[in-house]
Amino acid sequence: MAGGYNVSTQDRKLFNDKVALDRDMKYDGNEKTGHSWRSMTLNYIISKAPECEEILRIVEAHEDVPATWMALAATGIVPPERLQRLAQDIWAHLNLCLTGAARRSFENAPRQEGFEAWRRVLKLVRMRGEVRRLELT
């Protein structure tokens, strides 16, 4: 109990702010670092919330479909209350680690909608990768 307030597990942050602020976790929209940032961030998220692996796989597979926590609740993967909390925590993590063009993509997502923010930032990562792949062929 801190200051008369009982801190439950649900009230604790899922992700550590220090991790998001680490130089290696920052992403600015640069095409050279997008895929490695995605991999590192995805692994970090899954390490803290294993149920996110399936949810984020769905989000990425349907990159043109809005990914609000309410829309994802229909999957039944996790209870809606947990899904909402995951969305909030992912949003808070991304809020600290994105800069530049990636930050602008993030800011176009609704507040507290981490899955939607992930979808929008990943479109940027994929778009740049696709453009590069097409340039090489």
Side-chain angles (χ1 to χ4, degrees):
M1 197 133 133
Y5 180 71
N6 185 9
V7 180
S8 71
T9 305
Q10 227 179 0
D11 292 330
R12 290 189 199 127
K13 286 184 182 180
L14 187 59
F15 306 114
N16 187 323
D17 288 352
K18 288 182 182 179
V19 172
L21 293 170
D22 184 271
R23 179 175 67 88
D24 293 333
M25 292 299 283
K26 294 285 187 185
Y27 178 56
D28 63 1
N30 183 315
E31 67 184 77
K32 294 178 182 175
T33 59
H35 290 283
S36 62
W37 173 84
R38 177 201 170 271
S39 178
M40 188 167 28
T41 304
L42 183 63
N43 289 341
Y44 178 68
I45 291 170
I46 292 168
S47 76
K48 300 297 182 184
E51 64 269 46
C52 282
E53 184 169 16
E54 189 173 351
I55 297 164
L56 291 172
R57 187 179 307 125
I58 290 168
V59 170
E60 291 183 19
H62 303 284
E63 67 180 29
D64 292 324
V65 178
T68 63
W69 72 266
M70 289 183 77
L72 291 166
T75 65
I77 296 168
V78 295
E81 302 80 24
R82 174 71 175 156
L83 195 59
Q84 182 180 22
R85 184 58 195 238
L86 289 169
Q88 292 168 341
D89 287 348
I90 290 170
W91 185 88
H93 179 77
L94 295 175
N95 182 51
L96 295 176
C97 66
L98 298 173
T99 64
R103 177 84 190 171
R104 286 188 293 280
S105 290
F106 167 81
E107 288 176 347
N108 285 321
R111 282 194 170 98
Q112 304 293 312
E113 290 286 358
F115 298 110
E116 176 63 9
W118 179 261
R119 181 185 76 85
R120 290 176 188 229
V121 172
L122 260 287
K123 283 184 92 166
L124 179 65
V125 170
R126 287 184 174 183
M127 177 186 71
R128 294 186 179 217
E130 269 305 303
V131 168
R132 180 74 180 130
R133 214 172 10 262
L134 290 173
E135 287 175 352
L136 294 173
T137 56

